Amino acid sequence: MSERKDKKKVIGEPMTDDQIRVFLDSMPESGVDADFHALQRAYRSLREEDFERFVRFFSEAGRNVAARDPQGHSLADIVATHAQSATYLDILQRHGG
């Protein structure tokens, strides 16, 4: 698994609910689970507090927080390898990831 070791700090203003919900509609590449893709894109783009709101919207929409990439890894599996992403991992785990 060749992933980043640490989550890059995202700086910016809090996003609106509508801006966060845009991540629900992320279209994956062929062969990538749509739920995994949306979660990964949100993780890479959103601040902790915005990611928490995204995962809540994602779960409420009946999406799979435990979705897996083509190699069989969940986003929580990947995030667990990132030294500075404990809060993101906690968010995923609290929502079933």
Side-chain angles (χ1 to χ4, degrees):
M1 174 166 64
S2 84
E3 297 292 328
R4 297 179 308 187
K5 297 282 186 244
D6 294 310
K7 170 102 168 66
K8 186 176 182 179
K9 186 169 184 165
V10 180
I11 308 225
E13 296 296 317
M15 297 177 76
T16 67
D17 287 351
D18 288 339
Q19 289 172 318
I20 291 171
R21 283 188 175 101
V22 167
F23 287 88
L24 292 171
D25 300 323
S26 299
M27 296 304 298
E29 295 178 23
S30 178
V32 177
D33 181 277
D35 287 346
F36 177 84
H37 175 76
L39 282 166
Q40 185 177 49
R41 185 166 174 254
Y43 166 67
R44 289 179 173 171
S45 302
L46 298 175
R47 299 170 331 133
E48 292 172 349
E49 53 270 21
D50 295 330
F51 184 72
E52 175 133 35
R53 290 169 42 218
F54 169 79
V55 173
R56 183 170 36 90
F57 298 148
F58 189 85
S59 295
E60 289 170 354
R63 307 278 297 267
N64 182 9
V65 178
R68 301 200 171 262
D69 69 8
Q71 293 74 40
H73 304 110
S74 70
L75 185 60
D77 295 336
I78 295 167
V79 171
T81 69
H82 299 171
Q84 297 180 20
S85 294
T87 301
Y88 290 88
L89 180 59
D90 179 60
I91 292 165
L92 289 166
Q93 290 173 336
R94 283 188 281 118
H95 289 275

